[in-house]
Amino acid sequence: SKAKSLSRGETAHLMKIVRGDTLEELGSAEFEKTAAAYDKLWLDIGTGDGSFAYQQARSHPAVLCVGLDPAWNNMSRMASRAARRKTAATNVLFVQGSVEDPPTELMGRADFISINYPWSGLLRALVAPQAAILGNVRALARAGAGIAVYLNLHVFQDEGLKEALALPAFDAEYVGNTLGPAYREKGLVIEGFKLCSDKLPVKTTWGSRLSLNSRRSSCFILVRAV
């Protein structure tokens, strides 16, 4: 492999991937070679511990699944699992990075993007909304790519959380009147909005924590890159 371990304090501009408990560089040429072996690329933004990206990789062996998150240590367990023979997923990459400053190697590459139960800054950026972040989401996608966003609605219904996270009032009317125009300005068209009652339809570690011991509703927003 051409991947190189990063030494402490070293500044790098190449993609940084997690292999076990190590953060390594992946050169652009090697990434291109890896990506070329698969039909499509699925990008999971704010992947957390990477469990969703890992599950998708196991379910879709012809797709290169990429989990993107700034907290690379949280992805170590899934990176180790993906490398084991019995639980192998050779078609998954765990990448340190964020939608605020995405790796250039991923720009324009995603055939599908998932954003599951975002929190804090990413949540605000999507629902406030912030033009720069929406622009980066669009830049990561190929034309025609589908973008699935799942939001846990409890954060909008709890006044304390809503105030702490500086979130707006949120409903279908807000999606249509506020998010729709803002997304369109950045080449993103909202094609669907659906309330999902009781159970979280997409299972992630973070989503499970959000819904622990409660019956919390969520919503699904389908976006298309144009």
Side-chain angles (χ1 to χ4, degrees):
S1 169
K2 298 178 182 178
K4 182 182 74 173
S5 298
L6 294 174
S7 60
R8 185 178 296 274
E10 180 181 357
T11 300
H13 301 286
L14 298 176
M15 180 186 289
K16 301 171 187 177
I17 64 169
V18 184
R19 286 189 176 152
D21 59 358
T22 303
L23 186 64
E24 302 179 347
E25 287 182 351
L26 185 69
S28 297
E30 186 172 2
F31 172 73
E32 292 295 334
K33 182 179 178 180
T34 299
Y38 298 96
D39 295 338
K40 295 183 182 297
L41 189 148
W42 183 323
L43 176 61
D44 188 43
I45 294 177
T47 197
D49 67 357
S51 60
F52 182 78
Y54 170 77
Q55 292 161 11
Q56 296 311 304
R58 295 270 289 182
S59 300
H60 305 282
V63 176
L64 178 62
C65 297
V66 178
L68 182 70
D69 201 277
W72 72 270
N73 284 307
N74 293 340
M75 297 182 278
S76 292
R77 185 171 66 89
M78 284 298 159
S80 296
R81 178 177 294 183
R84 296 189 194 111
R85 177 178 295 182
K86 289 185 178 180
T87 55
T90 58
N91 59 320
V92 64
L93 291 176
F94 300 99
V95 178
Q96 184 193 38
S98 68
V99 71
E100 290 85 359
D101 185 23
T104 57
E105 293 87 348
L106 294 177
M107 302 301 271
R109 300 303 299 265
D111 297 281
F112 189 83
I113 294 176
S114 52
I115 307 176
N116 297 318
Y117 316 117
W119 188 250
S120 191
L122 179 54
L123 175 60
R124 282 195 302 272
L126 294 174
V127 303
Q130 296 175 15
I133 301 303
L134 296 182
N136 284 351
V137 172
R138 175 60 188 88
L140 286 162
R142 294 183 187 273
I147 302 164
V149 181
Y150 281 94
L151 303 177
N152 188 296
L153 293 180
H154 175 70
V155 295
F156 300 96
Q157 298 160 350
D158 185 300
E159 289 301 322
L161 280 175
K162 190 171 82 169
E163 181 178 353
L165 294 171
L167 299 176
F170 186 85
D171 54 22
E173 184 177 1
Y174 178 83
V175 171
N177 294 341
T178 301
L179 293 191
Y183 277 52
R184 280 196 298 272
E185 285 186 6
K186 292 300 177 180
L188 301 168
V189 175
I190 295 178
E191 293 189 337
F193 173 78
K194 179 183 178 181
L195 294 174
C196 309
S197 299
D198 298 334
K199 293 183 179 181
L200 298 180
V202 172
K203 299 297 183 182
T204 69
T205 303
W206 176 238
S208 298
R209 290 175 184 172
L210 291 175
S211 61
L212 188 63
N213 297 324
S214 68
R215 296 174 63 84
R216 295 180 180 173
S217 59
S218 61
C219 74
F220 167 68
I221 304 174
L222 176 62
V223 183
R224 185 74 55 186
V226 297

